[in-house]
Amino acid sequence: MPNLSELLNLYMSSEPFLPFTRPSFDQETIDAVAAVLRSGWVTSGPKLLEFETTLSEYFHGRPVRCFANGTATMRIALQIAGIGIGDEVITTPISWVATSNVILGVGAKPIFVDIDAVTRNIDLNKVSAAITPKTRAIMPVHLAGLPVDMDQLYALSKQNNLRIIEDAAQAFGSQWKGERIGSFGDLVSFSFQANKNLTTIEGGCLVLNNINEAKFAEKLRLQGLTRQGMDGMDVDILGGKDNLTDINAVIGLQQLKKLSTYQARRVVLARRYFNAIREKLKSTGLHNLHLELPVENFIDSNWHMFQVVLPLEQLNCDRAQVMTELKDLGIGTGVHYPAITGFTLYKDQGYKTLDTPVAERIGRSILTLPLFPDMADEDIDRIASGIVGILKKYSKI
Ligand SMILES: *Cc1c(COP(=O)(O)O)cnc(C)c1O
């Protein structure tokens, strides 16, 4: 397992180096953090309440509660939905491993349904066949911020009486038919980890259906406390320690103010990627190379990531080679994600990557290129040249 210093080496090597993502913080944010530090109240307090109220307004009045990270947020969503031992939850094999880890964590069983090769999200057409009497919920992921078909998702929920827990960790600011992801639906979980479009460094929030669920969420995030005060204390269920601090909350409040500017910049950069890559492939004579680009949706997606799928069958190299050569050009890339079913923990429980062949292939060939608001237009052109140059070098066609 890579330790922290190995990870730092991997992602923060030689200058000038373009990482695959980097958060933006301005002076106003730094000042706001300093003000909280000086205020005398640094853990969960007034700034958290203000952040939750602002988020609730953002999600058209639905209740919102924040947590220490996106993983805790999803675990608490499963607990609120009453999912536990003996239950099955349908999910995707192409996600950050937290998605299925939390399902295992509450004692339930993840059921992996293959992904769609174009959207790279769970293939909702294949969900019905995976439903059994034990199925309690579907946990889709809006990968890279591209939402799953929400009409189809909620129709499946209604027809089969299933809870929906959206892993919208990557989808803050995404929308569906003009409605923000999170402003409708069942339980919707976001992450504010440092790589996400809106960050509190670490953190997450859950959009809930009603005030009873919100109260339950508050209890679960603080030891299961039912009351605390002059008249004593009581605990009636096992809760955790999953609260978000005011330091994190104030960063979130600042980020929210800038979100639409960041978002607009991501769209400009994503558009430029499509043009630059296509142009380069053409001028290099590689139009028969099947480099798969993302879905060209500039309306619904928040462009959390720009991911290509490498045509490995047409190349004399593997993905690691492409990543190494891009790194030598000062360009950082990432893999989001290998199929979860290939991890030892999951293999040991009998899961097989080849049970979901599309996910197996994409998990092996997907590559995340740099995309974050502070990038320059020229960065995109340089990356497009870099990657197409490497493809040319190793092309079999
Ligand atoms: C980031 C992320 C999570 C987990 O969020 P943390 O805040 O890191 O715990 C879960 N699912 C997906 C798809 C993510 O990208």
Side-chain angles (χ1 to χ4, degrees):
M1 193 199 143
N3 60 28
L4 190 57
S5 63
E6 278 167 354
L7 271 176
L8 289 173
N9 239 335
L10 201 66
Y11 290 111
M12 303 187 71
S13 52
S14 59
E15 288 299 322
F17 187 78
L18 192 69
F20 76 84
T21 188
R22 186 200 293 147
S24 311
F25 302 115
D26 58 8
Q27 189 59 45
E28 207 186 340
T29 305
I30 294 166
D31 294 344
V33 170
V36 173
L37 286 172
R38 291 192 183 100
S39 74
W41 195 295
V42 288
T43 187
S44 307
K47 287 297 168 193
L48 174 65
L49 285 178
E50 189 186 335
F51 189 37
E52 288 180 339
T53 306
T54 311
L55 286 168
S56 178
E57 283 161 13
Y58 180 84
F59 293 119
H60 302 329
R62 299 188 73 202
V64 178
R65 292 297 179 271
C66 291
F67 305 92
N69 52 65
T71 306
T73 306
M74 292 196 296
R75 177 183 29 85
I76 286 173
L78 286 166
Q79 291 176 290
I80 289 170
I83 290 162
I85 293 163
D87 296 333
E88 291 180 356
V89 178
I90 292 173
T91 191
T92 169
I94 297 292
S95 183
W96 173 231
V97 68
T99 310
S100 51
N101 275 356
V102 293
I103 299 172
L104 290 177
V106 298
K109 186 177 180 198
I111 302 294
F112 294 102
V113 165
D114 210 352
I115 61 166
D116 177 88
V118 174
T119 65
R120 303 152 188 172
N121 282 327
I122 189 169
D123 186 345
L124 292 173
N125 295 322
K126 293 188 178 144
V127 164
S128 290
I131 295 173
T132 76
K134 292 180 180 171
T135 310
R136 296 286 312 285
I138 308 172
M139 197 164 189
V141 175
H142 307 304
L143 191 74
L146 181 73
V148 302
D149 183 320
M150 298 294 274
D151 297 333
Q152 198 179 353
L153 176 68
Y154 281 95
L156 279 165
S157 153
K158 211 167 165 189
Q159 284 154 16
N160 301 285
N161 193 27
L162 300 176
R163 292 300 297 260
I164 302 292
I165 296 145
E166 291 175 46
D167 180 350
Q170 303 184 0
F172 200 98
S174 297
Q175 50 176 322
W176 175 256
K177 294 188 173 167
E179 300 292 330
R180 279 179 187 145
I181 294 299
S183 69
F184 63 99
D186 193 354
L187 297 166
V188 188
S189 172
F190 294 92
S191 164
F192 302 139
Q193 188 265 345
N195 288 348
K196 305 298 169 19
N197 285 28
L198 184 144
T199 185
T200 61
I201 312 302
E202 299 285 355
C205 81
L206 184 63
V207 189
L208 304 124
N209 294 291
N210 54 56
I211 218 65
N212 284 339
E213 284 184 351
K215 289 211 167 111
F216 192 32
E218 286 175 15
K219 212 157 87 163
L220 288 167
R221 78 179 169 189
L222 197 64
Q223 312 291 2
L225 277 180
T226 56
R227 63 194 165 88
Q228 184 181 25
M230 304 282 185
D231 60 342
M233 189 186 276
D234 196 18
V235 169
D236 63 355
I237 53 163
L238 180 62
K241 178 67 165 72
D242 302 308
N243 56 302
L244 189 79
T245 78
D246 269 22
I247 299 278
N248 302 106
V250 83
I251 296 172
L253 282 163
Q254 290 297 325
Q255 290 258 306
L256 259 181
K257 287 201 252 172
K258 287 130 203 162
L259 189 71
S260 59
T261 311
Y262 293 160
Q263 179 65 35
R265 184 69 192 144
R266 283 179 181 275
V267 168
V268 167
L269 294 167
R271 279 187 192 277
R272 197 171 179 101
Y273 258 128
F274 283 100
N275 292 335
I277 292 175
R278 285 179 180 142
E279 187 79 7
K280 275 284 157 202
L281 284 172
K282 223 168 111 189
S283 63
T284 319
L286 286 178
H287 28 262
N288 289 327
L289 207 70
H290 301 134
L291 180 70
E292 295 167 47
L293 300 181
V295 176
E296 214 166 341
N297 184 336
F298 300 113
I299 307 285
D300 297 324
S301 177
N302 67 357
W303 290 98
H304 173 59
M305 297 189 282
F306 192 96
Q307 300 178 288
V308 298
V309 175
L310 298 172
L312 291 181
E313 63 295 335
Q314 296 181 311
L315 301 177
N316 279 314
C317 70
D318 60 8
R319 176 175 56 192
Q321 185 66 28
V322 176
M323 294 176 79
T324 305
E325 296 201 14
L326 281 168
K327 192 182 172 203
D328 291 343
L329 295 172
I331 298 165
T333 53
V335 173
H336 306 93
Y337 299 92
I340 291 170
T341 42
F343 298 156
T344 304
L345 173 68
Y346 289 83
K347 279 199 294 194
D348 285 354
Q349 297 185 36
Y351 292 103
K352 294 184 181 67
T353 52
L354 285 171
D355 287 345
T356 52
V358 182
E360 192 279 331
R361 177 181 73 83
I362 289 186
R364 215 164 11 89
S365 348
I366 199 162
L367 184 66
T368 306
L369 303 180
L371 181 62
F372 54 92
D374 289 344
M375 276 171 74
D377 290 355
E378 300 72 51
D379 289 329
I380 302 286
D381 304 342
R382 185 164 72 86
I383 297 160
S385 299
I387 190 158
V388 173
I390 296 164
L391 295 178
K392 172 97 184 154
K393 180 171 166 191
Y394 291 103
S395 173
K396 289 194 220 167
I397 59 166

